[in-house]
Amino acid sequence: MGALRPTLLPPSLPLLLLLMLVLPDVLQVSAAPPGPRGRQAPTSPPRMTVHEGQELALGCLARTSTQKHTHLAVSFGRSVPEAPVGRSTLQEVVGIRSDLAVEAGAPYAERLAAGELRLGKEGTDRYRMVVGGAQAGDAGTYHCTAAEWIQDPDGSWAQIAEKRAVLAHVDVQTLSSQLAVTVGPGERRIGPGEPLELLCNVSGALPPAGRHAAYSVGWEMAPAGAPGPGRLVAQLDTEGVGSLGPGYEGRHIAMEKVASRTYRLRLEAARPGDAGTYRCLAKAYVRGSGTRLREAASARSRPLPVHVREEGVVLEAVAWLAGGTVYRGETASLLCNISVRGGPPGLRLAASWWVERPEDGELSSVPAQLVGGVGQDGVAELGVRPGGGPVSVELVGPRSHRLRLHSLGPEDEGVYHCAPSAWVQHADYSWYQAGSARSGPVTVYPYMHALDTLFVPLLVGTGVALVTGATVLGTITCCFMKRLRKR
């Protein structure tokens, strides 16, 4: 066997060992009120339950009565519930070092920097840790560890005592496990123009909206048979401000809070297009540092079917070109007769004219272009005429519309059609389209007059004759001048 090598001890180590043997064990650490001496208070620690997003506050008493000049370092740690406590299983949350610096464990450093984690000393021996915005990962058994440090003559610090006490078993009640949404009053069947009211109730062991938590509630609608939750109808955000979803602007729709956790959606005048499956969507948020919100949970209700009776409006349209043939420079008159079956009293009709332009003898894939029309309120709307000339649209009978293209040109050639629509006005003065139709195609081809047909060749012939005569006259004149110079 080899010889043993002597071990060199630091110069301050004998003094440290001497102090540890001479100084009495007077370090105490406990949860308030102070427990007995020892590494851990024998009393059963309390079990605490906090809601996700709320503050978790724990206090620790740490004191020493030694007469020597020592400093206390106090730290708060967390371990997995029911796990044995040791340096390998205890995760430090935050602590005050012997030089009074506050430091956090690696997983908590960001929260300490953001102000969500705080540690302070209250009085002479009380330390208080506050964890803001509790998260699911904050659950566990919390401990307070106090270490007593003494300064060696060489200026270095050495730990001479350490004790630990269990503060509490903490459970974090997550919002996702508590948030629940129910709707009522059940499947609805209503007629067009009638009000539609739906109630949404948000339940669960939830913290009240305020400093630590906030909620938003909205309604979604999907047409019958359509997959997915559908599109947003209306919602109340975390500040209680209501807004309407795309496509619902301009309608009389109210979203309001009628009780502490009950919300009501009201459509003043339902339309057949409002039929579908409705769901209430609730979202829960927790506040981080400052006013920052973090979505913690969301829940949708069961589907609620809503049926809106159809108006039963059937439209038919027949369009034609008056006179059958039209020439360039004239006015083309297109007529559209509309027939209606069914519908409520007070039904209003609108009609619009559209054109598709041919390209290389075929209709282009470009969508039809609006030429003009008359709305259900009798107001004319003019689009863009292909030839760029004047356009007039008018109602020539109770169910007859006319489009006139003045000073017809070759650019006005195309396939035209009439598109009528039926409109119903409800008690809230909103309009909705109850039916639509499309007429057959009407071809407009501007012909040239017979005189125009003869005039073009005459102009061409005259031009050719003038050019030929000028050429012959120039040639003769050139030759005559050459002979004249020779003489």
Side-chain angles (χ1 to χ4, degrees):
M1 297 181 62
L4 295 176
R5 296 182 179 179
T7 302
L8 297 179
L9 297 177
S12 62
L13 185 57
L15 176 61
L16 174 61
L17 295 175
L18 179 61
L19 288 172
M20 294 180 66
L21 293 174
V22 173
L23 292 178
D25 184 6
V26 290
L27 177 63
Q28 298 181 26
V29 59
S30 65
R37 294 175 59 184
R39 293 189 57 83
Q40 182 172 319
T43 57
S44 177
R47 180 170 292 276
M48 298 175 56
T49 300
V50 296
H51 293 284
E52 182 179 6
Q54 287 186 326
E55 286 187 348
L56 168 62
L58 295 172
C60 173
L61 291 177
R63 65 166 67 95
T64 181
S65 56
T66 180
Q67 301 299 317
K68 300 295 182 180
H69 179 64
T70 60
H71 284 187
L72 287 183
V74 178
S75 66
F76 290 77
R78 182 186 65 87
S79 63
V80 179
E82 311 303 330
V85 180
R87 292 187 179 274
S88 60
T89 60
L90 188 63
Q91 171 65 58
E92 184 183 29
V93 179
V94 66
I96 297 180
R97 307 301 182 219
S98 58
D99 58 356
L100 303 182
V102 177
E103 297 180 2
Y108 296 88
E110 184 177 349
R111 296 172 72 176
L112 178 64
E116 295 182 9
L117 176 62
R118 304 185 300 276
L119 175 60
K121 186 176 182 180
E122 301 175 350
T124 58
D125 55 3
R126 182 178 180 86
Y127 299 83
R128 177 180 171 84
M129 179 190 70
V130 178
V131 181
Q135 304 174 9
D138 295 329
T141 302
Y142 282 79
H143 305 258
C144 178
T145 302
E148 190 172 7
W149 294 74
I150 191 169
Q151 191 174 25
D152 289 338
D154 61 359
S156 62
W157 288 87
Q159 180 178 318
I160 60 175
E162 181 183 282
K163 290 185 179 180
R164 181 180 298 114
V166 178
L167 302 180
H169 299 298
V170 177
D171 297 317
V172 178
Q173 197 171 65
T174 60
L175 295 177
S176 59
S177 65
Q178 298 297 317
L179 185 63
V181 182
T182 56
V183 293
E187 185 173 359
R188 298 293 310 278
R189 295 181 181 274
I190 59 176
E194 297 179 5
L196 171 64
E197 284 193 3
L198 302 176
L199 296 178
C200 174
N201 185 64
V202 180
S203 60
L206 303 172
R211 178 182 175 187
H212 304 296
Y215 304 92
S216 69
V217 178
W219 281 92
E220 299 171 327
M221 190 278 286
R231 61 177 181 173
L232 178 68
V233 179
Q235 71 171 357
L236 285 179
D237 62 14
T238 56
E239 302 296 331
V241 178
S243 61
L244 300 180
Y248 291 91
E249 301 88 347
R251 295 189 56 183
H252 292 263
I253 299 177
M255 179 74 182
E256 55 186 343
K257 187 176 182 180
V258 295
S260 60
R261 292 185 180 179
T262 303
Y263 301 82
R264 178 176 64 188
L265 171 69
R266 178 180 174 87
L267 282 70
E268 293 297 335
R271 305 175 179 179
D274 295 327
T277 302
Y278 287 74
R279 288 180 174 87
C280 181
L281 171 64
K283 295 182 179 181
Y285 300 83
V286 295
R287 296 189 185 275
S289 59
T291 59
R292 181 174 57 90
L293 289 176
R294 175 179 61 85
E295 182 178 336
S298 64
R300 280 187 174 87
S301 69
R302 63 174 176 83
L304 177 61
V306 173
H307 308 275
V308 183
R309 186 176 64 252
E310 295 282 348
E311 292 286 1
V313 179
V314 179
L315 296 180
E316 293 181 357
V318 178
W320 71 96
L321 176 63
T325 303
V326 64
Y327 294 91
R328 297 180 183 179
E330 295 182 348
T331 297
S333 296
L334 287 78
L335 297 174
C336 179
N337 282 349
I338 306 170
S339 60
V340 184
R341 295 197 305 272
L347 191 71
R348 297 283 189 89
L349 296 179
S352 57
W353 293 91
W354 303 78
V355 62
E356 297 175 87
R357 295 274 295 157
E359 292 183 1
D360 299 329
E362 297 182 359
L363 293 179
S364 65
S365 59
V366 179
Q369 183 178 358
L370 175 66
V371 181
V374 178
Q376 73 274 9
D377 52 2
V379 178
E381 178 185 5
L382 298 181
V384 179
R385 176 181 165 181
V391 177
S392 62
V393 288
E394 54 190 336
L395 183 66
V396 295
R399 295 179 181 177
S400 181
H401 291 253
R402 179 171 64 185
L403 167 69
R404 292 196 293 179
L405 306 174
H406 304 276
S407 302
L408 203 64
E411 298 84 0
D412 295 315
E413 178 185 353
V415 178
Y416 293 73
H417 70 267
C418 172
S421 55
W423 296 80
V424 176
Q425 188 177 31
H426 289 312
D428 63 350
Y429 301 104
S430 64
W431 291 93
Y432 85 93
Q433 185 175 318
S436 62
R438 173 173 173 164
S439 71
V442 178
T443 302
V444 174
Y445 180 82
Y447 289 92
M448 292 190 300
H449 290 280
L451 292 178
D452 295 338
T453 306
L454 296 176
F455 185 65
V456 172
L458 179 61
L459 289 178
V460 174
T462 302
V464 172
L466 290 174
V467 172
T468 304
T471 303
V472 173
L473 182 60
T475 303
I476 295 173
T477 303
C478 179
C479 295
F480 176 76
M481 295 300 294
K482 287 181 180 180
R483 292 182 61 185
L484 184 61
R485 282 198 295 269
K486 288 181 180 181
R487 291 182 180 182

